[in-house]
Amino acid sequence: MLISERLIDDIYEAAVVPDKWLDVFDQVGRQINSIGGILFATNRQFSGYTASPVLRRIYDDFIEDGYAALNPRPQRAIARNYPGFVGDHELFTADEMDQDPAYSYLRRKGAGWCAGTVVQAPGGDLAIFSWEKKFSDGAVSSEAISALGPLRPHLARASLLSGRLGLERVKAAAEILGLIGLPCAVLSHSNRILATNTLFDLLIPQVVQDRPCRVALVDRRADAMLRESLSQLDYQASPRSIPIIAAEETPASIIHVVPVRGAAHDVFTLASCVLFVTEVSSPAIVSAQVIQGLFDLTPAEARVARGIAAGASVQALAIKAGVTVGTIRQQLKSVFAKTGVSRQAELVGMLVGSALRGGTKDAAHE
Protein backbone atom coordinates (compact mmCIF):
# COMPACT_ATOMS: atom_id res chain seq x y z
CA MET A 1 0.00 0.00 0.00
CA LEU A 2 1.29 3.45 -0.92
CA ILE A 3 1.24 5.77 2.10
CA SER A 4 1.81 9.15 0.49
CA GLU A 5 2.60 12.52 2.04
CA ARG A 6 -0.74 13.72 0.69
CA LEU A 7 -2.59 10.97 2.57
CA ILE A 8 -0.87 11.83 5.86
CA ASP A 9 -1.63 15.53 5.31
CA ASP A 10 -5.28 14.74 4.58
CA ILE A 11 -5.56 12.71 7.79
CA TYR A 12 -4.36 15.64 9.90
CA GLU A 13 -6.51 18.06 7.93
CA ALA A 14 -9.52 15.84 8.68
CA ALA A 15 -8.82 16.24 12.41
CA VAL A 16 -10.14 19.81 12.13
CA VAL A 17 -12.10 19.68 8.84
CA PRO A 18 -14.14 16.45 9.07
CA ASP A 19 -15.29 16.70 5.44
CA LYS A 20 -11.72 15.70 4.60
CA TRP A 21 -12.34 12.23 6.06
CA LEU A 22 -14.13 11.43 2.80
CA ASP A 23 -10.87 11.95 0.88
CA VAL A 24 -9.02 9.78 3.39
CA PHE A 25 -11.61 7.02 3.05
CA ASP A 26 -11.39 7.17 -0.74
CA GLN A 27 -7.57 7.16 -0.92
CA VAL A 28 -7.30 4.11 1.30
CA GLY A 29 -10.34 2.44 -0.23
CA ARG A 30 -8.98 2.56 -3.75
CA GLN A 31 -5.87 0.70 -2.66
CA ILE A 32 -7.72 -2.18 -1.00
CA ASN A 33 -10.67 -2.32 -3.44
CA SER A 34 -13.10 -1.03 -0.81
CA ILE A 35 -16.49 0.57 -1.43
CA GLY A 36 -15.75 3.13 1.26
CA GLY A 37 -14.65 3.86 4.81
CA ILE A 38 -16.31 4.84 8.05
CA LEU A 39 -15.23 6.40 11.35
CA PHE A 40 -17.20 5.89 14.55
CA ALA A 41 -16.21 8.18 17.44
CA THR A 42 -17.46 8.32 21.01
CA ASN A 43 -16.41 10.14 24.18
CA ARG A 44 -18.02 11.81 27.18
CA GLN A 45 -19.29 14.65 24.97
CA PHE A 46 -20.18 13.03 21.66
CA SER A 47 -21.10 9.83 19.86
CA GLY A 48 -21.52 9.57 16.09
CA TYR A 49 -19.98 8.62 12.77
CA THR A 50 -18.94 9.89 9.37
CA ALA A 51 -18.64 7.73 6.26
CA SER A 52 -18.16 7.58 2.51
CA PRO A 53 -21.45 8.29 0.68
CA VAL A 54 -22.07 4.64 -0.24
CA LEU A 55 -21.40 3.43 3.29
CA ARG A 56 -23.43 6.24 4.85
CA ARG A 57 -26.50 5.07 2.96
CA ILE A 58 -25.86 1.47 4.02
CA TYR A 59 -25.21 2.30 7.67
CA ASP A 60 -28.10 4.74 7.94
CA ASP A 61 -30.36 1.84 6.93
CA PHE A 62 -28.34 -0.53 9.14
CA ILE A 63 -29.14 1.66 12.15
CA GLU A 64 -32.72 2.41 11.13
CA ASP A 65 -33.55 -1.28 10.63
CA GLY A 66 -32.14 -2.19 14.05
CA TYR A 67 -29.13 -4.20 12.94
CA ALA A 68 -26.52 -1.87 14.42
CA ALA A 69 -27.54 -3.02 17.90
CA LEU A 70 -26.92 -6.62 16.77
CA ASN A 71 -23.59 -5.94 15.07
CA PRO A 72 -20.95 -8.18 16.72
CA ARG A 73 -17.94 -6.53 15.08
CA PRO A 74 -17.22 -3.68 17.54
CA GLN A 75 -17.45 -5.84 20.64
CA ARG A 76 -15.32 -8.60 19.13
CA ALA A 77 -12.68 -6.10 17.90
CA ILE A 78 -12.51 -4.31 21.27
CA ALA A 79 -12.21 -7.64 23.08
CA ARG A 80 -9.43 -8.72 20.74
CA ASN A 81 -7.49 -5.62 21.88
CA TYR A 82 -5.11 -5.86 18.92
CA PRO A 83 -2.92 -2.77 18.35
CA GLY A 84 -3.37 -2.73 14.59
CA PHE A 85 -5.83 -3.48 11.80
CA VAL A 86 -7.83 -6.73 11.67
CA GLY A 87 -10.21 -8.34 9.18
CA ASP A 88 -13.45 -10.27 9.68
CA HIS A 89 -11.70 -13.59 9.24
CA GLU A 90 -9.49 -12.76 12.24
CA LEU A 91 -12.49 -12.06 14.47
CA PHE A 92 -15.02 -14.68 13.39
CA THR A 93 -15.21 -18.15 11.89
CA ALA A 94 -16.91 -18.58 8.52
CA ASP A 95 -19.86 -20.29 10.22
CA GLU A 96 -20.28 -17.43 12.69
CA MET A 97 -20.45 -14.91 9.87
CA ASP A 98 -22.80 -17.05 7.76
CA GLN A 99 -25.24 -17.39 10.67
CA ASP A 100 -25.08 -13.80 11.95
CA PRO A 101 -28.07 -11.57 11.00
CA ALA A 102 -25.95 -8.39 10.88
CA TYR A 103 -23.57 -9.98 8.39
CA SER A 104 -26.47 -11.27 6.31
CA TYR A 105 -27.93 -7.76 6.18
CA LEU A 106 -24.62 -6.17 5.14
CA ARG A 107 -24.15 -8.78 2.42
CA ARG A 108 -27.61 -8.05 1.02
CA LYS A 109 -26.76 -4.35 0.97
CA GLY A 110 -23.55 -4.87 -1.02
CA ALA A 111 -21.00 -5.00 1.79
CA GLY A 112 -19.91 -7.83 4.10
CA TRP A 113 -16.11 -7.77 4.44
CA CYS A 114 -14.06 -5.18 6.29
CA ALA A 115 -10.63 -4.20 7.59
CA GLY A 116 -10.69 -2.04 10.69
CA THR A 117 -8.95 -0.87 13.81
CA VAL A 118 -10.01 0.26 17.28
CA VAL A 119 -8.33 3.29 18.85
CA GLN A 120 -8.72 3.81 22.61
CA ALA A 121 -7.35 6.70 24.67
CA PRO A 122 -6.75 6.72 28.44
CA GLY A 123 -9.53 9.28 28.95
CA GLY A 124 -12.16 6.89 27.58
CA ASP A 125 -12.31 8.25 24.01
CA LEU A 126 -12.97 5.52 21.46
CA ALA A 127 -12.67 5.58 17.67
CA ILE A 128 -13.28 2.75 15.22
CA PHE A 129 -12.14 2.91 11.60
CA SER A 130 -13.42 0.41 9.05
CA TRP A 131 -13.12 0.00 5.29
CA GLU A 132 -15.83 -2.17 3.73
CA LYS A 133 -15.68 -4.48 0.70
CA LYS A 134 -18.39 -6.19 -1.29
CA PHE A 135 -18.94 -9.74 -0.11
CA SER A 136 -18.69 -10.92 -3.71
CA ASP A 137 -15.16 -9.45 -3.97
CA GLY A 138 -13.79 -11.56 -1.14
CA ALA A 139 -12.14 -10.68 2.18
CA VAL A 140 -9.48 -8.00 2.58
CA SER A 141 -6.17 -9.83 2.19
CA SER A 142 -3.78 -10.28 5.08
CA GLU A 143 -1.14 -8.39 3.09
CA ALA A 144 -3.46 -5.41 2.65
CA ILE A 145 -4.38 -5.43 6.35
CA SER A 146 -0.70 -5.43 7.35
CA ALA A 147 0.01 -2.58 4.93
CA LEU A 148 -2.57 -0.42 6.70
CA GLY A 149 -0.57 -0.61 9.95
CA PRO A 150 1.64 2.49 9.49
CA LEU A 151 -1.47 4.65 9.09
CA ARG A 152 -2.79 3.80 12.53
CA PRO A 153 -0.81 6.29 14.70
CA HIS A 154 -1.83 9.16 12.40
CA LEU A 155 -5.46 8.03 12.36
CA ALA A 156 -5.42 7.70 16.15
CA ARG A 157 -4.29 11.26 16.82
CA ALA A 158 -6.55 12.81 14.20
CA SER A 159 -9.63 10.84 15.28
CA LEU A 160 -9.19 11.82 18.93
CA LEU A 161 -9.30 15.52 18.05
CA SER A 162 -12.01 15.02 15.43
CA GLY A 163 -14.16 13.07 17.90
CA ARG A 164 -13.82 15.81 20.51
CA LEU A 165 -15.05 18.28 17.92
CA GLY A 166 -18.09 16.12 17.28
CA LEU A 167 -17.11 15.36 13.66
CA GLU A 168 -18.56 18.74 12.72
CA ARG A 169 -16.73 21.56 10.97
CA VAL A 170 -16.34 24.60 13.18
CA LYS A 171 -15.61 28.16 12.11
CA ALA A 172 -13.16 29.69 14.60
CA ALA A 173 -10.26 28.70 16.79
CA ALA A 174 -11.95 30.20 19.84
CA GLU A 175 -15.03 28.04 19.28
CA ILE A 176 -12.90 24.92 18.91
CA LEU A 177 -10.89 25.61 22.03
CA GLY A 178 -14.05 26.20 24.00
CA LEU A 179 -15.68 22.95 22.90
CA ILE A 180 -12.87 20.45 22.89
CA GLY A 181 -12.92 19.58 26.60
CA LEU A 182 -9.17 18.94 26.67
CA PRO A 183 -6.25 21.30 27.40
CA CYS A 184 -5.56 22.75 23.95
CA ALA A 185 -3.34 25.40 22.34
CA VAL A 186 -2.78 26.67 18.81
CA LEU A 187 0.83 27.39 17.81
CA SER A 188 2.15 29.83 15.24
CA HIS A 189 4.73 28.96 12.59
CA SER A 190 7.37 30.32 14.97
CA ASN A 191 6.12 27.77 17.56
CA ARG A 192 4.67 30.41 19.88
CA ILE A 193 1.21 30.15 21.43
CA LEU A 194 -1.51 31.90 19.41
CA ALA A 195 -4.54 30.81 21.44
CA THR A 196 -5.37 28.53 24.36
CA ASN A 197 -8.38 27.36 26.30
CA THR A 198 -8.77 27.62 30.08
CA LEU A 199 -7.73 24.02 30.66
CA PHE A 200 -4.42 24.59 28.87
CA ASP A 201 -3.85 27.82 30.79
CA LEU A 202 -3.91 25.80 34.01
CA LEU A 203 -0.79 23.94 32.80
CA ILE A 204 1.22 27.19 32.51
CA PRO A 205 3.91 27.52 33.88
CA GLN A 206 4.10 24.25 35.86
CA VAL A 207 3.97 21.99 32.78
CA VAL A 208 4.13 24.29 29.72
CA GLN A 209 6.04 27.54 29.22
CA ASP A 210 5.61 30.02 26.37
CA ARG A 211 9.23 31.11 26.05
CA PRO A 212 10.44 33.88 23.69
CA CYS A 213 11.92 31.35 21.28
CA ARG A 214 9.10 28.76 21.31
CA VAL A 215 6.61 26.90 23.47
CA ALA A 216 8.43 24.50 25.81
CA LEU A 217 7.77 21.76 28.36
CA VAL A 218 9.18 21.84 31.87
CA ASP A 219 9.95 18.11 31.65
CA ARG A 220 13.31 18.24 29.86
CA ARG A 221 13.02 14.84 28.17
CA ALA A 222 9.53 15.64 26.92
CA ASP A 223 10.69 19.08 25.78
CA ALA A 224 13.44 17.54 23.68
CA MET A 225 10.84 15.39 21.94
CA LEU A 226 8.54 18.39 21.47
CA ARG A 227 11.37 20.43 19.97
CA GLU A 228 12.12 17.62 17.52
CA SER A 229 8.46 17.24 16.62
CA LEU A 230 7.96 20.96 16.00
CA SER A 231 11.08 21.12 13.86
CA GLN A 232 9.86 18.21 11.72
CA LEU A 233 6.19 18.99 11.23
CA ASP A 234 6.60 18.45 7.50
CA TYR A 235 7.96 14.92 7.94
CA GLN A 236 5.73 11.89 8.31
CA ALA A 237 8.02 10.09 10.76
CA SER A 238 8.38 12.86 13.36
CA PRO A 239 7.10 12.10 16.88
CA ARG A 240 3.56 13.36 17.47
CA SER A 241 2.56 12.05 20.92
CA ILE A 242 4.86 12.97 23.80
CA PRO A 243 4.68 11.55 27.35
CA ILE A 244 5.07 13.88 30.32
CA ILE A 245 6.10 12.30 33.61
CA ALA A 246 3.88 13.04 36.61
CA ALA A 247 4.98 15.69 39.08
CA GLU A 248 3.83 16.37 42.62
CA GLU A 249 0.90 18.55 41.51
CA THR A 250 0.25 17.23 37.99
CA PRO A 251 -0.60 13.72 36.78
CA ALA A 252 1.20 11.90 34.00
CA SER A 253 -0.09 13.04 30.64
CA ILE A 254 0.41 12.88 26.88
CA ILE A 255 0.79 15.99 24.74
CA HIS A 256 -0.29 15.42 21.13
CA VAL A 257 0.97 17.45 18.18
CA VAL A 258 -1.52 17.67 15.31
CA PRO A 259 -0.22 19.57 12.24
CA VAL A 260 -2.58 22.05 10.59
CA ARG A 261 -3.01 20.95 6.99
CA GLY A 262 -4.88 22.17 3.91
CA ALA A 263 -8.34 23.62 4.55
CA ALA A 264 -7.74 23.45 8.30
CA HIS A 265 -5.93 26.76 7.80
CA ASP A 266 -9.39 28.27 7.22
CA VAL A 267 -10.13 27.45 10.85
CA PHE A 268 -6.69 28.00 12.38
CA THR A 269 -5.39 31.04 10.52
CA LEU A 270 -1.59 31.50 10.74
CA ALA A 271 -1.27 28.28 12.76
CA SER A 272 1.31 25.53 12.28
CA CYS A 273 -0.16 22.95 14.64
CA VAL A 274 -2.54 22.27 17.51
CA LEU A 275 -1.35 20.89 20.86
CA PHE A 276 -3.77 19.03 23.09
CA VAL A 277 -3.21 17.08 26.28
CA THR A 278 -4.73 13.87 27.62
CA GLU A 279 -4.15 12.79 31.22
CA VAL A 280 -3.12 9.27 32.19
CA SER A 281 -4.83 9.51 35.54
CA SER A 282 -6.29 6.03 35.99
CA PRO A 283 -4.54 3.74 38.49
CA ALA A 284 -5.04 0.89 36.04
CA ILE A 285 -2.44 0.11 33.39
CA VAL A 286 -3.62 1.12 29.95
CA SER A 287 -3.84 -1.53 27.25
CA ALA A 288 -1.05 -2.40 24.85
CA GLN A 289 -3.28 -1.05 22.07
CA VAL A 290 -3.48 2.37 23.74
CA ILE A 291 0.25 2.37 24.50
CA GLN A 292 1.13 1.58 20.89
CA GLY A 293 -1.15 4.29 19.52
CA LEU A 294 0.13 6.95 21.89
CA PHE A 295 3.84 6.43 21.38
CA ASP A 296 4.10 4.95 17.87
CA LEU A 297 5.49 1.68 19.22
CA THR A 298 5.51 -1.58 17.35
CA PRO A 299 3.06 -4.21 18.66
CA ALA A 300 5.97 -6.10 20.26
CA GLU A 301 7.31 -2.95 21.93
CA ALA A 302 3.84 -2.10 23.24
CA ARG A 303 3.50 -5.56 24.79
CA VAL A 304 6.90 -5.19 26.46
CA ALA A 305 6.00 -1.74 27.80
CA ARG A 306 2.74 -2.98 29.27
CA GLY A 307 4.41 -6.08 30.67
CA ILE A 308 7.04 -4.00 32.46
CA ALA A 309 4.30 -1.70 33.79
CA ALA A 310 2.48 -4.76 35.13
CA GLY A 311 5.60 -5.85 37.03
CA ALA A 312 6.87 -8.60 34.72
CA SER A 313 10.60 -9.21 34.44
CA VAL A 314 12.58 -9.23 31.22
CA GLN A 315 13.07 -12.99 31.60
CA ALA A 316 9.35 -13.61 32.06
CA LEU A 317 8.48 -11.50 29.03
CA ALA A 318 11.04 -13.36 26.92
CA ILE A 319 9.59 -16.73 27.92
CA LYS A 320 6.02 -15.58 27.23
CA ALA A 321 6.93 -14.17 23.80
CA GLY A 322 9.19 -17.09 22.88
CA VAL A 323 12.19 -14.85 22.20
CA THR A 324 15.58 -14.26 23.81
CA VAL A 325 16.20 -11.99 26.79
CA GLY A 326 18.41 -9.89 24.51
CA THR A 327 15.48 -9.28 22.16
CA ILE A 328 13.28 -8.06 25.02
CA ARG A 329 16.07 -5.80 26.28
CA GLN A 330 16.48 -4.30 22.82
CA GLN A 331 12.73 -3.72 22.52
CA LEU A 332 12.68 -2.09 25.96
CA LYS A 333 15.51 0.25 24.98
CA SER A 334 13.49 1.22 21.91
CA VAL A 335 10.48 1.88 24.16
CA PHE A 336 12.63 4.15 26.34
CA ALA A 337 13.82 6.08 23.28
CA LYS A 338 10.32 6.57 21.89
CA THR A 339 8.70 7.52 25.19
CA GLY A 340 11.53 9.78 26.33
CA VAL A 341 12.24 7.97 29.61
CA SER A 342 15.45 6.28 30.71
CA ARG A 343 14.42 4.07 33.63
CA GLN A 344 11.84 1.38 34.24
CA ALA A 345 10.38 3.29 37.19
CA GLU A 346 9.67 6.31 34.98
CA LEU A 347 7.98 4.12 32.36
CA VAL A 348 5.83 2.43 34.99
CA GLY A 349 4.90 5.75 36.58
CA MET A 350 3.87 7.18 33.23
CA LEU A 351 1.75 4.20 32.20
CA VAL A 352 -0.11 3.85 35.49
CA GLY A 353 -0.59 7.58 35.88
CA SER A 354 1.56 8.27 38.93
CA ALA A 355 5.26 9.05 39.29
CA LEU A 356 7.21 6.25 40.95
CA ARG A 357 10.40 7.41 42.56
CA GLY A 358 13.02 4.75 43.15
CA GLY A 359 12.58 1.26 44.54
CA THR A 360 12.45 -0.45 41.14
CA LYS A 361 15.33 -1.94 39.21
CA ASP A 362 15.99 -0.86 35.66
CA ALA A 363 14.93 -3.89 33.63
CA ALA A 364 16.96 -2.84 30.63
CA HIS A 365 20.06 -3.72 32.61
CA GLU A 366 18.89 -6.84 34.41
Side-chain angles (χ1 to χ4, degrees), residues 157 160-161 180 182-185 200 254-258 274-278:
R157 279 180 286 270
L160 176 56
L161 182 55
I180 192 170
L182 293 170
C184 181
F200 196 91
I254 314 296
I255 189 163
H256 306 268
V257 183
V258 177
V274 177
L275 304 183
F276 64 97
V277 182
T278 56

mmCIF file of all heavy atoms in Angstrom, residues 157 160-161 180 182-185 200 254-258 274-278:
data_model
loop_
_atom_site.group_PDB
_atom_site.id
_atom_site.type_symbol
_atom_site.label_atom_id
_atom_site.label_comp_id
_atom_site.label_asym_id
_atom_site.label_seq_id
_atom_site.Cartn_x
_atom_site.Cartn_y
_atom_site.Cartn_z
ATOM 1 N N ARG A 157 -4.375 9.879 16.346
ATOM 2 C CA ARG A 157 -4.294 11.259 16.817
ATOM 3 C C ARG A 157 -5.378 12.130 16.186
ATOM 4 O O ARG A 157 -6.043 12.929 16.847
ATOM 5 C CB ARG A 157 -2.903 11.836 16.515
ATOM 6 C CG ARG A 157 -1.853 11.432 17.541
ATOM 7 C CD ARG A 157 -0.509 12.024 17.185
ATOM 8 N NE ARG A 157 0.111 11.344 16.059
ATOM 9 C CZ ARG A 157 0.917 10.290 16.171
ATOM 10 N NH1 ARG A 157 1.176 9.787 17.348
ATOM 11 N NH2 ARG A 157 1.459 9.739 15.110
ATOM 12 N N LEU A 160 -8.953 11.348 17.575
ATOM 13 C CA LEU A 160 -9.193 11.824 18.934
ATOM 14 C C LEU A 160 -9.634 13.287 18.917
ATOM 15 O O LEU A 160 -10.624 13.664 19.546
ATOM 16 C CB LEU A 160 -7.939 11.658 19.785
ATOM 17 C CG LEU A 160 -8.010 12.210 21.219
ATOM 18 C CD1 LEU A 160 -9.175 11.593 21.979
ATOM 19 C CD2 LEU A 160 -6.699 11.949 21.951
ATOM 20 N N LEU A 161 -8.923 14.113 18.151
ATOM 21 C CA LEU A 161 -9.303 15.520 18.054
ATOM 22 C C LEU A 161 -10.628 15.663 17.315
ATOM 23 O O LEU A 161 -11.518 16.410 17.737
ATOM 24 C CB LEU A 161 -8.204 16.309 17.336
ATOM 25 C CG LEU A 161 -8.437 17.820 17.186
ATOM 26 C CD1 LEU A 161 -8.688 18.465 18.539
ATOM 27 C CD2 LEU A 161 -7.245 18.469 16.494
ATOM 28 N N ILE A 180 -13.605 21.707 22.982
ATOM 29 C CA ILE A 180 -12.870 20.448 22.890
ATOM 30 C C ILE A 180 -12.854 19.648 24.188
ATOM 31 O O ILE A 180 -12.786 18.430 24.171
ATOM 32 C CB ILE A 180 -11.438 20.708 22.377
ATOM 33 C CG1 ILE A 180 -10.767 19.388 22.010
ATOM 34 C CG2 ILE A 180 -10.628 21.478 23.395
ATOM 35 C CD1 ILE A 180 -9.454 19.578 21.287
ATOM 36 N N LEU A 182 -10.525 19.364 26.337
ATOM 37 C CA LEU A 182 -9.167 18.942 26.669
ATOM 38 C C LEU A 182 -8.278 20.183 26.694
ATOM 39 O O LEU A 182 -8.553 21.146 25.973
ATOM 40 C CB LEU A 182 -8.613 17.964 25.619
ATOM 41 C CG LEU A 182 -9.246 16.591 25.501
ATOM 42 C CD1 LEU A 182 -8.721 15.893 24.254
ATOM 43 C CD2 LEU A 182 -8.944 15.750 26.741
ATOM 44 N N PRO A 183 -7.202 20.193 27.491
ATOM 45 C CA PRO A 183 -6.250 21.300 27.398
ATOM 46 C C PRO A 183 -5.742 21.418 25.961
ATOM 47 O O PRO A 183 -5.271 20.437 25.383
ATOM 48 C CB PRO A 183 -5.128 20.883 28.358
ATOM 49 C CG PRO A 183 -5.796 19.957 29.329
ATOM 50 C CD PRO A 183 -6.811 19.205 28.514
ATOM 51 N N CYS A 184 -5.838 22.615 25.383
ATOM 52 C CA CYS A 184 -5.560 22.754 23.954
ATOM 53 C C CYS A 184 -4.946 24.115 23.672
ATOM 54 O O CYS A 184 -5.322 25.124 24.277
ATOM 55 C CB CYS A 184 -6.854 22.594 23.174
ATOM 56 S SG CYS A 184 -6.691 22.707 21.392
ATOM 57 N N ALA A 185 -3.975 24.146 22.744
ATOM 58 C CA ALA A 185 -3.336 25.397 22.335
ATOM 59 C C ALA A 185 -3.051 25.354 20.844
ATOM 60 O O ALA A 185 -2.773 24.294 20.281
ATOM 61 C CB ALA A 185 -2.034 25.616 23.106
ATOM 62 N N PHE A 200 -5.844 24.521 29.202
ATOM 63 C CA PHE A 200 -4.421 24.594 28.874
ATOM 64 C C PHE A 200 -3.737 25.664 29.721
ATOM 65 O O PHE A 200 -2.588 25.485 30.165
ATOM 66 C CB PHE A 200 -4.221 24.901 27.389
ATOM 67 C CG PHE A 200 -2.826 24.620 26.881
ATOM 68 C CD1 PHE A 200 -2.508 23.385 26.347
ATOM 69 C CD2 PHE A 200 -1.830 25.581 26.956
ATOM 70 C CE1 PHE A 200 -1.234 23.103 25.892
ATOM 71 C CE2 PHE A 200 -0.550 25.318 26.501
ATOM 72 C CZ PHE A 200 -0.246 24.070 25.974
ATOM 73 N N ILE A 254 -0.119 12.985 28.238
ATOM 74 C CA ILE A 254 0.410 12.882 26.883
ATOM 75 C C ILE A 254 0.070 14.167 26.155
ATOM 76 O O ILE A 254 -1.090 14.595 26.148
ATOM 77 C CB ILE A 254 -0.209 11.699 26.108
ATOM 78 C CG1 ILE A 254 -0.235 10.425 26.950
ATOM 79 C CG2 ILE A 254 0.548 11.483 24.804
ATOM 80 C CD1 ILE A 254 1.109 9.892 27.332
ATOM 81 N N ILE A 255 1.059 14.807 25.553
ATOM 82 C CA ILE A 255 0.787 15.990 24.742
ATOM 83 C C ILE A 255 0.879 15.583 23.271
ATOM 84 O O ILE A 255 1.864 14.983 22.835
ATOM 85 C CB ILE A 255 1.747 17.156 25.071
ATOM 86 C CG1 ILE A 255 1.304 18.435 24.370
ATOM 87 C CG2 ILE A 255 3.196 16.820 24.766
ATOM 88 C CD1 ILE A 255 1.916 19.693 24.942
ATOM 89 N N HIS A 256 -0.181 15.829 22.532
ATOM 90 C CA HIS A 256 -0.294 15.421 21.134
ATOM 91 C C HIS A 256 -0.063 16.620 20.219
ATOM 92 O O HIS A 256 -0.590 17.707 20.473
ATOM 93 C CB HIS A 256 -1.675 14.833 20.850
ATOM 94 C CG HIS A 256 -2.065 13.715 21.763
ATOM 95 N ND1 HIS A 256 -1.819 12.398 21.483
ATOM 96 C CD2 HIS A 256 -2.669 13.732 22.975
ATOM 97 C CE1 HIS A 256 -2.272 11.643 22.475
ATOM 98 N NE2 HIS A 256 -2.793 12.437 23.388
ATOM 99 N N VAL A 257 0.690 16.407 19.161
ATOM 100 C CA VAL A 257 0.974 17.454 18.183
ATOM 101 C C VAL A 257 0.245 17.098 16.891
ATOM 102 O O VAL A 257 0.558 16.098 16.249
ATOM 103 C CB VAL A 257 2.489 17.575 17.919
ATOM 104 C CG1 VAL A 257 2.766 18.716 16.943
ATOM 105 C CG2 VAL A 257 3.257 17.770 19.220
ATOM 106 N N VAL A 258 -0.733 17.915 16.525
ATOM 107 C CA VAL A 258 -1.519 17.671 15.311
ATOM 108 C C VAL A 258 -1.237 18.792 14.318
ATOM 109 O O VAL A 258 -1.631 19.944 14.534
ATOM 110 C CB VAL A 258 -3.024 17.624 15.625
ATOM 111 C CG1 VAL A 258 -3.824 17.436 14.344
ATOM 112 C CG2 VAL A 258 -3.323 16.501 16.611
ATOM 113 N N VAL A 274 -1.731 22.203 16.300
ATOM 114 C CA VAL A 274 -2.542 22.266 17.513
ATOM 115 C C VAL A 274 -1.948 21.296 18.523
ATOM 116 O O VAL A 274 -1.622 20.148 18.181
ATOM 117 C CB VAL A 274 -4.008 21.885 17.220
ATOM 118 C CG1 VAL A 274 -4.831 21.887 18.506
ATOM 119 C CG2 VAL A 274 -4.613 22.830 16.197
ATOM 120 N N LEU A 275 -1.771 21.759 19.759
ATOM 121 C CA LEU A 275 -1.351 20.889 20.855
ATOM 122 C C LEU A 275 -2.571 20.593 21.719
ATOM 123 O O LEU A 275 -3.333 21.505 22.046
ATOM 124 C CB LEU A 275 -0.287 21.564 21.725
ATOM 125 C CG LEU A 275 0.995 22.080 21.073
ATOM 126 C CD1 LEU A 275 1.918 22.640 22.155
ATOM 127 C CD2 LEU A 275 1.684 20.990 20.284
ATOM 128 N N PHE A 276 -2.767 19.318 22.081
ATOM 129 C CA PHE A 276 -3.770 19.034 23.092
ATOM 130 C C PHE A 276 -3.255 17.935 24.001
ATOM 131 O O PHE A 276 -2.377 17.145 23.635
ATOM 132 C CB PHE A 276 -5.139 18.696 22.488
ATOM 133 C CG PHE A 276 -5.188 17.439 21.664
ATOM 134 C CD1 PHE A 276 -5.622 16.251 22.201
ATOM 135 C CD2 PHE A 276 -4.833 17.470 20.318
ATOM 136 C CE1 PHE A 276 -5.692 15.101 21.440
ATOM 137 C CE2 PHE A 276 -4.900 16.321 19.544
ATOM 138 C CZ PHE A 276 -5.332 15.133 20.107
ATOM 139 N N VAL A 277 -3.775 17.913 25.221
ATOM 140 C CA VAL A 277 -3.214 17.082 26.283
ATOM 141 C C VAL A 277 -4.265 16.119 26.811
ATOM 142 O O VAL A 277 -5.408 16.500 27.070
ATOM 143 C CB VAL A 277 -2.694 17.967 27.441
ATOM 144 C CG1 VAL A 277 -2.055 17.099 28.540
ATOM 145 C CG2 VAL A 277 -1.693 18.994 26.926
ATOM 146 N N THR A 278 -3.881 14.866 26.961
ATOM 147 C CA THR A 278 -4.731 13.873 27.624
ATOM 148 C C THR A 278 -4.011 13.373 28.869
ATOM 149 O O THR A 278 -2.817 13.079 28.838
ATOM 150 C CB THR A 278 -5.054 12.686 26.700
ATOM 151 O OG1 THR A 278 -3.836 12.101 26.229
ATOM 152 C CG2 THR A 278 -5.867 13.139 25.505
#
